[in-house]
Amino acid sequence: MAIKVIAQLREVKLGKNPGKKFVMRPDLYVPIAEKKVFQEAATHSGISAGVIKAAWDAAGEVIRTWAKT
């Protein structure tokens, strides 16, 4: 996986400390395979990849449902 980011100094009016902040955005990236994300999360957390995928899918369903309302 590769990612290149651009940081720009911008006026930010959100949060408790508005003002000039560096805002980062991707300029170039290569997507990572979903299976690899679940496997890496499992390795770092000690939770099985299947459980992580089930939780990810469930969270996605909740977000889709909320976005429709």
Side-chain angles (χ1 to χ4, degrees):
M1 181 178 99
I3 186 166
K4 178 181 172 187
V5 295
I6 294 175
Q8 297 175 317
L9 188 59
R10 293 193 173 184
E11 186 70 30
V12 177
K13 297 179 182 178
L14 299 172
K16 295 181 180 180
N17 300 312
K20 290 195 174 195
K21 309 282 183 197
F22 280 100
V23 177
M24 295 176 64
R25 65 178 174 83
D27 181 47
L28 171 70
Y29 69 95
V30 177
I32 188 168
E34 189 175 273
K35 183 177 180 179
K36 184 169 175 93
V37 173
F38 297 138
Q39 193 59 48
E40 286 291 320
T43 300
H44 291 284
S45 68
I47 300 169
S48 76
V51 171
I52 292 173
K53 182 177 182 335
W56 180 263
D57 291 342
E61 286 300 319
V62 170
I63 293 168
R64 276 190 286 280
T65 300
W66 286 352
K68 291 178 184 177
T69 60

